[in-house]
Amino acid sequence: MSQVSRRSFVKSSAIAGAALAAPAIGRAGVSANEKMGACVVGVNGRGGSHISGWLGDDRCEIRAIVDVDEDVGNKRCDQIAGKQGSRPKFYTDMRKAFEDSDVDFISTATPNHWHALTGIWAMQRGKDAYVEKPVCHNVYEGTALIAAARKYEKMCQVGTQCRSSKACRDAVAFLQSGGIGEVKFARGLCYKRRASIGALGDYTIPDNVNFDMWSGPAQYTDPKLTRKRFHYDWHWQRLYGNGDLGNQGPHQTDIARWGLGIDTHPNTILTYGGRLGYQAERKDPAYVDAGDTGNTEVSIYDYGDKCIVFETRGLSVNDSDDTELNKLFQSTKGNKIGVVFYGTKGYVVQKSYTHCIAYDMDMNVIQEFKGGGDHFGNFLDACVSRKREDLNADVREGHLSAAVSHLGNISYYMGETNRVDIAAVTEAVGKIKSLDDDSKTLERTVAHLKKNGVDLDKYPMSLGALLEFDPAKEVFTNNDAANAYLTREYRAPYICPLADQV
Ligand SMILES: NC(=O)c1ccc[n+]([C@@H]2O[C@H](COP(=O)([O-])OP(=O)(O)OC[C@H]3O[C@@H](n4cnc5c(N)ncnc54)[C@H](O)[C@@H]3O)[C@@H](O)[C@H]2O)c1
């Protein structure tokens, strides 16, 4: 055990011991030198919520901040100093922060392409790790992150906070106790309006950003920026992000898997869709948006006896023809982000982080579930107890749920140039074993696109590859080219190791 990890271990054990001996020591009353030292990595958007989470828990103190954007990082340090009374150290290189013996655990809200490597490097240096969703940018990274957590015996929680929400926990318990009969099928929705991120172009990288380190495990683009807004919009460029299927998706596919009791990867995957509608939106037939992930996708996942369908819609979803979904979500306007479980005796809908509803077959409400939770606090509980069973979202859950998105995206990328008419999509969805009414889902998707002015003759949908996956070996068995997407080419020193090399 390294000096750093021994120190963390001794300290965590001491806290655990103190908690056992004197249960009164809880969130309040932990003395300064007993507190766990937090380091937050990537603090622009979501990192701000991590900071609030740690500031709100008396068991920890934020001792380090890491960001490759010096402006963003320094601003956060100032804010923390004002609230906490002590200014955390600021680092631009996470490796230096992970050497800091004042840091006991890290939480990371960098862009997706950094998640797994950040977690692995931190755990190798003896720190527990709270890693945002998706926990990995590709499937092999997720497997490696699990291996690191197990090898270094670290707590690794995924940022799927619904796992700690009372509403979601109660709804899942209700459906698993037979509240809506037998349940084998769930539909995840990310009907979330996303405007174009601007035209593909040649934009300037902000001076205050170390772009080499920002790019990290992704390809270094020379340095070239093809999107207008530096932060956040990387979500829609596949070198870094995973589209909304891999952004919002891991929350909802996680709940779907959880509710259905699925503890593995799917056997068969098919995605159709595209990045559609921005020409109509901009009233310019030649418009090319800088994003290259799908904004409209239907992904079908067959798990043998169970099935998940995930629908991504980035165009307007107001006044849609989705009569059944409108009823279940009790709304015809605005975004619909959630999960519908279809049982033999009714439905359960995860409508938001704090609200789920159970219906009978006639869509009468039979029960409602409300309330949030403290996912950050749950991570700290496990850091103290040193029991990974105490984590509400252990890294393995995060890996399985991120992989749902990655596998769906791989199907899309493999068929991206296969632009086809609706008849061809209809024929293809007829071939996948699924518990959904696939032709009805396709019809609704086409109606949605038409309502948004998409001319499908001129801009047809892409039909992804029908992929067969071996869940145990984590390889595609019918498409060698697709296997290349399970990892990526790394550049030194930002190489994410394979699971047996962590
Ligand atoms: N759990 C949730 O509900 C939730 C909500 C929003 C976002 N997220 C996740 O949080 C992550 C961040 O999203 P965001 O919207 O804040 O993105 P963002 O682009 O606004 O912020 C990312 C920050 O990370 C920094 N960064 C990049 N590379 C870094 C590195 N090597 N070291 C340190 N800092 C680095 C950037 O400079 C930036 O400040 C995403 O992965 C997203 O999926 C989760």
Side-chain angles (χ1 to χ4, degrees):
M1 195 184 278
S2 72
Q3 213 176 348
V4 174
S5 59
R6 184 178 295 113
R7 183 185 177 282
S8 308
F9 175 77
V10 168
K11 197 165 177 186
S12 301
S13 306
I15 295 170
L20 280 175
I25 296 184
R27 294 183 179 222
V30 178
S31 74
N33 55 6
E34 274 181 333
K35 289 190 187 210
M36 291 177 266
C39 165
V40 187
V41 186
V43 290
N44 187 48
R46 179 66 181 165
S49 311
H50 287 208
I51 290 169
S52 304
W54 308 134
L55 285 177
D57 197 311
D58 192 46
R59 292 173 293 178
C60 64
E61 179 180 45
I62 302 176
R63 301 205 176 123
I65 289 293
V66 188
D67 206 293
V68 296
D69 183 329
E70 293 201 25
D71 285 2
V72 167
N74 275 312
K75 228 175 263 169
R76 289 294 191 198
C77 287
D78 292 343
Q79 288 168 356
I80 295 163
K83 290 183 179 154
Q84 185 173 256
S86 57
R87 194 178 201 278
K89 286 174 248 182
F90 176 55
Y91 296 93
T92 51
D93 184 338
M94 65 175 82
R95 288 166 295 187
K96 293 198 175 131
F98 298 167
E99 294 293 338
D100 187 332
S101 57
D102 288 335
V103 170
D104 296 301
F105 71 88
I106 70 110
S107 70
T108 181
T110 60
N112 302 359
H113 62 284
W114 259 111
H115 287 178
L117 187 57
T118 303
I120 290 168
W121 277 354
M123 291 190 282
Q124 285 175 335
R125 299 313 306 154
K127 319 297 183 191
D128 294 309
Y130 180 111
V131 181
E132 266 310 337
K133 42 54 54 177
V135 282
C136 48
H137 191 262
N138 60 55
V139 171
Y140 286 6
E141 286 184 354
T143 315
L145 190 65
I146 300 172
R150 304 301 182 248
K151 178 172 175 181
Y152 299 102
E153 298 182 10
K154 293 292 146 198
M155 298 301 120
C156 187
Q157 170 106 308
V158 184
T160 43
Q161 60 270 24
C162 287
R163 287 269 179 170
S164 292
S165 125
K166 184 175 181 326
C168 296
R169 293 174 78 80
D170 289 351
V172 165
F174 173 77
L175 75 87
Q176 288 182 342
S177 70
I180 54 166
E182 198 180 10
V183 192
K184 293 185 164 192
F185 172 55
R187 184 187 309 282
L189 299 184
C190 173
Y191 289 2
K192 193 172 190 177
R193 181 76 182 104
R194 301 284 187 184
S196 161
I197 60 171
L200 187 65
D202 194 356
Y203 300 99
T204 310
I205 294 161
D207 284 343
N208 39 298
V209 169
N210 179 331
F211 188 61
D212 174 63
M213 251 196 266
W214 187 94
S215 304
Q219 184 189 325
Y220 184 61
T221 54
D222 202 15
K224 217 172 177 179
L225 184 70
T226 56
R227 62 184 184 278
K228 204 168 170 182
R229 184 163 68 146
F230 185 75
H231 291 302
Y232 193 81
D233 285 348
W234 51 264
H235 271 297
W236 327 120
Q237 295 191 316
R238 68 184 73 168
L239 278 182
Y240 322 110
N242 309 89
D244 246 351
L245 175 56
N247 176 43
Q248 188 60 46
H251 284 300
Q252 269 61 48
T253 53
D254 188 61
I255 294 167
R257 260 196 336 99
W258 180 23
L260 292 174
I262 296 173
D263 188 37
T264 182
H265 296 298
N267 304 315
T268 314
I269 304 109
L270 177 74
T271 295
Y272 60 87
R275 192 165 186 88
L276 300 163
Y278 295 136
Q279 291 83 7
E281 190 176 293
R282 295 283 174 129
K283 298 186 176 51
D284 175 2
Y287 181 73
V288 181
D289 168 272
D292 61 2
T293 55
N295 71 344
T296 310
E297 288 175 315
V298 174
S299 301
I300 305 165
Y301 302 94
D302 166 47
Y303 288 85
D305 60 337
K306 291 182 181 156
C307 174
I308 294 174
V309 166
F310 192 79
E311 297 182 34
T312 307
R313 292 185 184 179
L315 300 174
S316 171
V317 292
N318 281 336
D319 301 320
S320 72
D321 298 330
D322 306 304
T323 323
E324 190 181 77
L325 292 172
N326 286 342
K327 268 193 201 159
L328 291 169
F329 278 80
Q330 302 176 350
S331 148
T332 57
K333 301 257 180 246
N335 295 339
K336 282 189 184 63
I337 298 160
V339 182
V340 182
F341 292 94
Y342 297 77
T344 50
K345 294 187 184 156
Y347 310 84
V348 166
V349 176
Q350 183 256 331
K351 193 168 181 274
S352 76
Y353 167 60
T354 53
H355 190 189
C356 302
I357 308 171
Y359 298 90
D360 65 16
M361 289 307 275
D362 298 322
M363 293 195 194
N364 301 306
V365 175
I366 50 176
Q367 203 162 329
E368 296 201 52
F369 311 90
K370 293 189 175 167
D374 182 3
H375 203 50
F376 295 111
N378 169 254
F379 171 67
L380 294 184
D381 292 344
C383 289
V384 171
S385 75
R386 308 310 302 163
K387 289 188 196 143
R388 90 166 116 96
E389 314 82 79
D390 290 346
L391 291 170
N392 287 339
D394 172 59
V395 56
R396 185 165 178 279
E397 301 297 346
H399 168 56
L400 289 174
S401 297
V404 177
S405 310
H406 299 327
L407 298 175
N409 271 331
I410 294 171
S411 169
Y412 171 62
Y413 295 151
M414 295 307 299
E416 193 176 14
T417 55
N418 184 26
R419 301 267 183 149
V420 297
D421 61 18
I422 295 161
V425 183
T426 310
E427 193 188 329
V429 297
K431 286 187 188 151
I432 185 166
K433 193 177 137 224
S434 155
L435 298 173
D436 190 19
D437 183 340
D438 293 305
S439 56
K440 213 165 147 193
T441 299
L442 173 60
E443 261 170 44
R444 289 190 297 101
T445 307
V446 169
H448 157 75
L449 288 170
K450 288 189 174 161
K451 204 157 216 159
N452 278 281
V454 179
D455 179 348
L456 283 167
D457 293 329
K458 206 163 168 197
Y459 308 101
M461 284 197 274
S462 299
L463 175 60
L466 181 65
L467 298 173
E468 304 290 339
F469 195 63
D470 180 332
K473 293 189 180 142
E474 296 190 323
V475 287
F476 294 107
T477 52
N478 69 337
N479 192 320
D480 281 344
N483 282 321
Y485 285 83
L486 295 170
T487 180
R488 73 187 307 161
E489 274 186 36
Y490 295 94
R491 63 191 184 104
Y494 310 111
I495 299 172
C496 188
L498 291 172
D500 58 359
Q501 290 158 11
V502 295

